[in-house]
Amino acid sequence: MNNNNLPLGQIAVVDDTTANLHLLSNLLEGAGYDIRLFPRGKLALEGIVYSLPDLILLDIQMPEMNGYEVCEKLKVDELTRNIPVIFISALNETFDKVKAFQVGGVDYISKPFQAEEVLARVATHLQLYQMKKKLQETNIIQAQQLTLQNHQLLELNQALEKANRELQNNYEKLQYAQLQLVQTEKMATIGNLVAGVAHEINNPVGFISGNISVAQEYLQDLLSALALYQQKCPLDLEFAEELEDLDLDFIAEDFPKLIASMQSGCDRIASISTSLRTFSRTDTDKKTEFNLHEGLESTILILKYRLKANEERPAINIIKNYGHLPEIKCYPGQLNQVFMNILSNAIDALDESNEGKTYEEIEKVPNCITIDTKLSENKKNILVSITDNGMGMPEEVKARIFEQGFTTKEVGKGTGLGMAIARQIIVEKHGGAIACHSELGKGTEFVISLPLS
Ligand SMILES: Nc1ncnc2c1ncn2[C@@H]1O[C@H](COP(=O)(O)OP(=O)(O)OP(=O)(O)O)[C@@H](O)[C@H]1O
Ligand SMILES: [Mg+2]
């Protein structure tokens, strides 16, 4: 070991003069180096590649292959190009120092040798070489560490990106859940209000309806009693005239009709109340049997205020082609919500298509919503189609209508959730399907398919 704690290395000595070989070998071995001797250039090249020394002492004047040639060969080989070569030159030889450096030598020593000079030069170049090697090794290790760190950073980055995506996803889900909650609550509020009104109406309608027939009986009795009185007792003149003016015969004939129309009014209110209660059905966890036509009817009733005529347009026609449908097991409240969303969109589309048209123009091509219901050909599904002759939609809108939050309506008018919720209810909650057909300027059709079992 030397002062810098670097191990003493292996030195290859190439010289065709045996005396020189011995001299150098003794000198260097004495100083603690490991020595390999080569009397010819070619032999040296083979031996050096076989086991790499840390330094080469190379004679210049040699038969077959001189020192410059050997050095050139060493420098083109990847394995040996970095091993330092010190040339040995005799003072009586012609020695081209420039060429020695050009072919890759790092130094030279001259014969006759001065032991201390040889040792000093050898030690210096060995140290330099070993330090260079160490530096290269450190560089390689650092490069490997850097690659590793890079890799770790990349992985970290990917993990961060993934976490970010998940966060974004969760945020969107949360936003959707929040909006859905608002929608559901809105529906629940409408439902509660409607159910409350329906309930409040029921009692007074019940009184009226229950008393109408009694009132009819009472009046019949009164009229009969009066007729009897007229027969049995002589009437005073003033009273007889009063009765004449009353036209009792007309009252007797008209009153039952009046009662009947009051009864039919009551029946109508009662059926509206039933419809309201149907619409406001709150769903339990379990599916229940439901007649879809009742759902459609109750939803139309709730939307009546939007369908009837106003100053800008005549009433929207609702054309119903109801087929014979069995009841299906479903969540009625949710399906009503779907009908509500589709019908509201149809009314919006019709209103939008009316923009810029006069009342008369609209009257010529009336606003229509057609509802068809039927069983599918294989009798396994119920098909409900709701078609409007509104403005339809372009392809790019049609492609996105089921996206959460997608709306073409102005802020405050649409949240872009109606169809996303409809899709979720039909597809995920009921295992059905919903499709949209639309032609710009002509209208839109939504087809819902619900499995019977
Ligand atoms: N019948 C239709 N005719 C034309 N366009 C329609 C029709 N139904 C839906 N759309 C288009 O699809 C979009 C999304 O409809 P969706 O019901 O999901 O949201 P919205 O009606 O805009 O808002 P929200 O229903 O939440 O109040 C609408 O903004 C509209 O552009
Ligand atoms: Mg909508």
Side-chain angles (χ1 to χ4, degrees):
M1 294 281 177
N2 65 8
N3 291 345
N4 291 324
N5 285 341
L6 290 170
L8 290 181
Q10 190 191 75
I11 300 172
V13 184
V14 191
D15 201 322
D16 60 323
T17 320
T18 321
N20 278 345
L21 283 179
H22 284 306
L23 189 70
L24 285 169
S25 159
N26 287 340
L27 180 67
L28 294 167
E29 260 176 356
Y33 297 105
D34 184 13
I35 304 297
R36 286 163 66 208
L37 302 173
F38 299 100
R40 292 282 181 278
K42 268 195 175 158
L43 277 176
L45 282 175
E46 283 164 15
I48 284 168
V49 174
Y50 180 69
S51 161
L52 299 173
D54 299 306
L55 189 129
I56 301 165
L57 288 177
L58 184 57
D59 188 21
I60 293 171
Q61 294 293 338
M62 288 187 292
E64 292 171 17
M65 190 184 275
N66 69 28
Y68 300 130
E69 289 171 282
V70 175
C71 189
E72 272 173 341
K73 289 216 169 354
L74 288 168
K75 295 302 161 189
V76 291
D77 189 333
E78 188 68 37
L79 270 177
T80 53
R81 66 151 34 122
N82 290 322
I83 304 171
V85 175
I86 299 177
F87 283 108
I88 304 165
S89 75
L91 280 178
N92 57 353
E93 287 170 5
T94 42
F95 172 52
D96 187 343
K97 290 176 198 164
V98 176
K99 184 160 184 190
F101 286 113
Q102 270 175 352
V103 294
V106 291
D107 207 349
Y108 64 91
I109 46 179
S110 316
K111 292 184 263 190
F113 305 118
Q114 290 202 339
E116 270 158 17
E117 187 196 340
V118 171
L119 290 177
R121 285 186 195 272
V122 164
T124 305
H125 287 291
L126 260 177
Q127 257 189 24
L128 271 175
Y129 175 59
Q130 282 169 345
M131 277 158 71
K132 209 165 130 189
K133 249 176 41 181
K134 247 212 144 84
L135 207 69
Q136 272 173 348
E137 278 165 15
T138 320
N139 273 350
I140 289 172
I141 291 172
Q142 276 179 348
Q144 280 171 346
Q145 277 173 347
L146 263 175
T147 315
L148 190 77
Q149 278 171 355
N150 240 350
H151 190 72
Q152 283 169 342
L153 265 174
L154 209 79
E155 275 180 355
L156 223 72
N157 209 13
Q158 278 170 351
L160 259 171
E161 268 174 20
K162 193 173 158 223
N164 214 3
R165 272 200 303 274
E166 273 168 18
L167 209 72
Q168 180 72 23
N169 237 333
N170 285 343
Y171 175 70
E172 276 168 17
K173 272 191 201 153
L174 200 74
Q175 224 179 12
Y176 176 58
Q178 210 176 17
L179 287 171
Q180 203 174 10
L181 209 70
V182 173
Q183 267 259 346
T184 315
E185 249 172 42
K186 214 165 70 181
M187 283 299 290
T189 312
I190 298 174
N192 283 342
L193 187 81
V194 161
V197 171
H199 179 77
E200 288 307 313
I201 289 173
N202 258 358
N203 280 345
V205 168
F207 308 149
I208 299 171
S209 179
N211 289 337
I212 281 176
S213 52
V214 182
Q216 162 87 339
E217 271 173 39
Y218 285 172
L219 189 85
Q220 277 310 331
D221 290 351
L222 275 175
L223 287 175
S224 313
L226 196 61
L228 195 66
Y229 184 77
Q230 266 176 302
Q231 255 181 34
K232 302 278 179 199
C233 309
L235 296 179
D236 107 322
L237 192 64
E238 196 184 342
F239 188 36
E241 277 172 7
E242 188 74 29
L243 280 182
E244 184 86 29
D245 285 350
L246 265 180
D247 196 354
L248 275 181
D249 291 342
F250 177 75
I251 291 179
E253 190 196 317
D254 197 46
F255 198 78
K257 290 184 195 158
L258 217 118
I259 290 281
S261 96
M262 280 157 79
Q263 186 63 57
S264 98
C266 278
D267 292 347
R268 174 101 187 89
I269 296 175
S271 100
I272 290 173
S273 163
T274 311
S275 254
L276 291 178
R277 273 181 295 144
T278 305
F279 178 79
S280 60
R281 275 175 78 151
T282 39
D283 294 323
T284 52
D285 284 348
K286 276 175 82 183
K287 288 183 178 172
T288 46
E289 296 278 345
F290 185 55
N291 178 342
L292 287 190
H293 293 149
E294 279 179 20
L296 284 162
E297 285 298 307
S298 67
T299 310
I300 292 168
L301 183 85
I302 295 284
L303 286 170
K304 206 128 222 167
Y305 77 102
R306 293 200 62 199
L307 296 166
K308 66 182 186 198
N310 58 34
E311 281 170 10
E312 274 124 42
R313 58 148 172 83
I316 295 173
N317 280 341
I318 300 276
I319 302 163
K320 300 169 198 166
N321 303 316
Y322 290 165
H324 287 291
L325 297 183
E327 293 200 332
I328 59 164
K329 278 202 159 209
C330 62
Y331 300 106
Q334 293 185 9
L335 289 187
N336 288 342
Q337 190 177 353
V338 174
F339 299 147
M340 177 79 149
N341 288 349
I342 295 179
L343 287 168
S344 305
N345 280 346
I347 298 170
D348 286 344
L350 288 166
D351 279 344
E352 203 172 317
S353 73
N354 291 337
E355 272 168 28
K357 289 188 192 156
T358 61
Y359 198 100
E360 288 70 31
E361 279 170 336
I362 301 166
E363 228 168 12
K364 273 189 205 147
V365 188
N367 292 165
C368 274
I369 296 176
T370 311
I371 307 175
D372 290 272
T373 64
K374 61 178 179 189
L375 274 179
S376 66
E377 271 177 27
N378 62 10
K379 310 258 184 286
K380 286 189 176 161
N381 297 293
I382 283 181
L383 301 176
V384 180
S385 142
I386 300 176
T387 311
D388 65 71
N389 61 346
M391 41 116 197
M393 24 179 154
E395 277 302 317
E396 59 271 24
V397 170
K398 203 183 105 184
R400 299 186 61 193
I401 49 168
F402 295 112
E403 264 179 40
Q404 295 164 29
F406 174 76
T407 180
T408 56
K409 294 168 194 171
E410 57 199 68
V411 181
K413 210 170 167 218
T415 58
L417 277 184
M419 294 319 297
I421 288 174
R423 196 205 66 84
Q424 195 192 37
I425 292 174
I426 298 297
V427 178
E428 281 157 39
K429 296 277 173 63
H430 291 85
I434 178 165
C436 169
H437 313 284
S438 185
E439 206 177 318
L440 196 60
K442 291 220 163 142
T444 301
E445 177 189 20
F446 281 96
V447 184
I448 296 169
S449 162
L450 289 165
L452 275 174
S453 53

